[in-house]
Amino acid sequence: MQSYRESQVEFADFIFDRQKVVCYGLQNTAGGTATILNFPTPRLAAAFRRAYLGARSFQIIENEAQLICLADYDTVMRKSDDDPRVRALRYNRDFMMGTLAHLS
C-alpha cells in the first residue's frame, strides 16, 4: 500500500411514518458505497423496504431495525421523493470526514 486517504462519512436523518430515521453513508476510496438506515423498530424498517426498495438494482441487507444498502443515499431515497410519509430533516455530505476508526 503506497498511500492512505481517509474515506468520507455522510449523515442524514428523515421522518418516515412519523418516526425519525438516522442514516450514515460510507464512501471508501476504493470505490465502495453503502448507506445505513437506522429505524426505531424492525416493523418500520420492513415497511420502508417494501415501499421503496423492492426491485432495486443494489443489494440490501436487513438487520432487524437497520437496513444496509450498497448504494449512495440519493439512490436509496430516490423513490420516496413524493411520498407524504417521508419528510427530510437534515442531510450533510460534509458532516464528517474520516474513517470509521474516528467514530469510536
Side-chain angles (χ1 to χ4, degrees):
M1 187 160 148
Q2 300 278 332
S3 64
Y4 175 78
R5 289 185 21 202
E6 293 183 341
S7 299
Q8 185 173 0
V9 179
E10 302 174 309
F11 172 80
D13 57 2
F14 63 91
I15 298 294
F16 173 63
D17 207 13
R18 297 186 307 267
Q19 300 285 324
K20 186 174 184 176
V21 181
V22 177
C23 311
Y24 297 94
L26 309 174
Q27 296 181 341
N28 68 40
T29 56
T33 302
T35 299
I36 298 117
L37 297 101
N38 298 291
F39 292 84
T41 66
R43 180 199 62 76
L44 205 60
F48 186 89
R49 183 174 184 172
R50 278 191 308 276
Y52 308 113
L53 301 179
R56 301 297 292 271
S57 63
F58 52 83
Q59 186 175 1
I60 302 161
I61 301 160
E62 192 167 346
N63 181 23
E64 295 186 14
Q66 185 179 66
L67 297 176
I68 302 165
C69 303
L70 301 184
D72 62 87
Y73 180 79
D74 295 330
T75 301
V76 171
M77 298 302 289
R78 188 165 292 136
K79 290 189 174 185
S80 67
D81 285 344
D82 297 327
D83 193 316
R85 294 182 296 172
V86 177
R87 183 170 53 92
L89 293 178
R90 180 178 33 193
Y91 173 76
N92 189 345
R93 181 164 270 135
D94 301 318
F95 179 77
M96 291 186 287
M97 293 293 288
T99 63
L100 288 178
H102 292 135
L103 297 177
S104 56

